[in-house]
Amino acid sequence: HRFLMLYTFLKQHTHSKILVYFSTTKSTQYYSKLLSRLKFDVVAIHNGMSKETFLDEYLRFSKRCDAGILCVPDFQGEEFSIPPTVQWVVQFEPPGNPSEYIFRIGRISSETKHQKLRGNGRALLFLSPGEFAFLEYYRAAKVTIYEYQIPKLTNVQRNYERLIRKDDKLRKLAKEAYFAYLMSYASHEYRDVYNVHGLEEKEVAMAFGFVGVPSRGNGNAIGGGGGNGGGSGSGGRGDRDKNCNALVVRESGGDRDRERDGSSRSIRDRDRDR
């Protein structure tokens, strides 16, 4: 599912400088904490910080020349320029506005032409099966897209669920982020792409580390079985172009089949934050 794809992608690009957008502040806070626990070099900026701290963290990340990950809420994406040293811009959860998102990634080709980089910056969009209508916005804007399939998907789901089950603070963040995500998705203006009634809540919950859909009370559907322990599966590698603006990770249907073979699937979600 979605998080396993992000995890595998980040593990395969540990020497890259990556900007990751989430649909809500809660998701930004949660996933940055989670990735840090999983030993990634990650920082986050969001509207829960003071303006001074926000700017300091952004400038520190922007100036560094080594690899790293910056997590940001989607709705704050227009508040700063994409650092020219960023090699990947990943839209992990749904963008608030498809047109604004396309404009944002259009800046990558010009803003990432930096002599120290190995190539131009790339944009990666995660799409779930019910969100493929987003591609029509790409076509209307005449943006060239390539399907990006992640090979050898690393299945860390059981370890992920175990971590959430044992860490009370992280589980609390996961639960808050899960419900903020659902609220954001339900309030999305672009219903032609984002239909909350077609959302697979169990799959969404799994991306936040839950075995089942968590309750709003003190009880949680957490930890336990579900998913294989370790290992990886195989997946095809899509066509890629060094100068392409947009790559799309597309998740196929069939939750159980995907988990068995470990192959890559499409993803992507969206909306603004509270």
Side-chain angles (χ1 to χ4, degrees):
H1 62 75
R2 184 173 5 124
F3 178 72
L4 297 186
M5 295 181 68
L6 177 65
Y7 176 87
T8 303
F9 174 82
L10 294 177
K11 291 294 284 186
Q12 293 173 352
H13 294 84
T14 54
H15 299 296
S16 297
K17 195 169 180 180
I18 302 171
L19 181 59
V20 185
Y21 285 102
F22 299 89
S23 61
T24 71
T25 294
K26 292 293 186 183
S27 279
T28 304
Q29 293 172 320
Y30 168 62
Y31 281 110
S32 62
K33 293 286 186 184
L34 173 64
L35 292 173
S36 180
R37 288 290 302 274
L38 296 175
K39 310 302 182 184
F40 287 97
D41 183 2
V42 58
V43 293
I45 55 175
H46 50 76
N47 61 349
M49 300 175 164
S50 66
K51 290 184 178 180
E52 182 179 356
T53 302
F54 183 102
L55 183 59
D56 286 346
E57 291 291 347
Y58 165 73
L59 291 176
R60 187 176 296 112
F61 179 83
S62 181
K63 292 176 181 178
R64 62 186 289 182
C65 296
D66 57 337
I69 302 167
L70 179 65
C71 299
V72 190
D74 175 77
F75 68 95
Q76 291 189 279
E78 302 305 315
E79 296 182 17
F80 57 85
S81 297
I82 296 173
T85 50
V86 165
Q87 292 152 296
W88 284 95
V89 176
V90 178
Q91 188 76 38
F92 181 59
E93 294 181 339
N97 183 309
S99 298
E100 289 180 4
Y101 169 76
I102 291 171
F103 174 75
R104 179 192 300 163
I105 66 169
R107 289 156 37 197
I108 297 173
S109 355
S110 57
E111 293 184 5
T112 60
K113 287 181 180 177
H114 192 280
Q115 60 182 1
K116 294 183 180 179
L117 291 180
R118 289 185 288 273
N120 290 341
R122 299 176 181 179
L124 182 66
L125 173 68
F126 281 59
L127 286 175
S128 62
E131 298 163 351
F132 290 170
F134 190 97
L135 300 178
E136 294 303 320
Y137 288 91
Y138 271 139
R139 296 186 182 103
K142 298 183 179 179
V143 174
T144 302
I145 60 175
Y146 297 83
E147 183 170 358
Y148 185 98
Q149 293 185 323
I150 300 176
K152 298 182 180 178
L153 191 67
T154 304
N155 193 339
V156 294
Q157 185 64 25
R158 179 178 295 176
N159 294 333
Y160 180 24
E161 292 167 358
R162 185 182 300 118
L163 174 62
I164 300 304
R165 182 176 69 248
K166 293 183 176 181
D167 190 318
D168 292 342
K169 291 183 179 180
L170 196 58
R171 184 170 67 251
K172 182 176 182 292
L173 283 174
K175 191 173 181 180
E176 291 174 350
Y178 169 78
F179 285 111
Y181 175 88
L182 291 183
M183 185 177 297
S184 172
Y185 205 98
S187 63
H188 205 291
E189 297 177 13
Y190 290 80
R191 303 297 174 86
D192 58 325
V193 178
Y194 308 107
N195 178 11
V196 69
H197 301 293
L199 200 61
E200 294 289 342
E201 290 190 30
K202 185 177 179 181
E203 283 202 15
V204 175
M206 289 177 66
F208 287 92
F210 298 104
V211 173
V213 177
S215 65
R216 288 187 178 274
N218 292 327
N220 294 287
I222 60 173
N228 299 319
S232 61
S234 62
R237 184 179 296 273
D239 186 17
R240 290 182 216 150
D241 184 284
K242 289 185 177 180
N243 298 312
C244 69
N245 274 350
L247 301 171
V248 179
V249 182
R250 308 193 352 157
E251 181 179 27
S252 62
D255 177 33
R256 294 186 180 276
D257 289 340
R258 290 198 309 271
E259 187 145 338
R260 269 198 289 271
D261 65 24
S263 59
S264 53
R265 31 216 109 96
S266 145
I267 283 180
R268 162 325 210 61
D269 302 305
R270 123 17 35 204
D271 200 335
R272 301 167 316 225
D273 185 22
R274 307 287 179 209

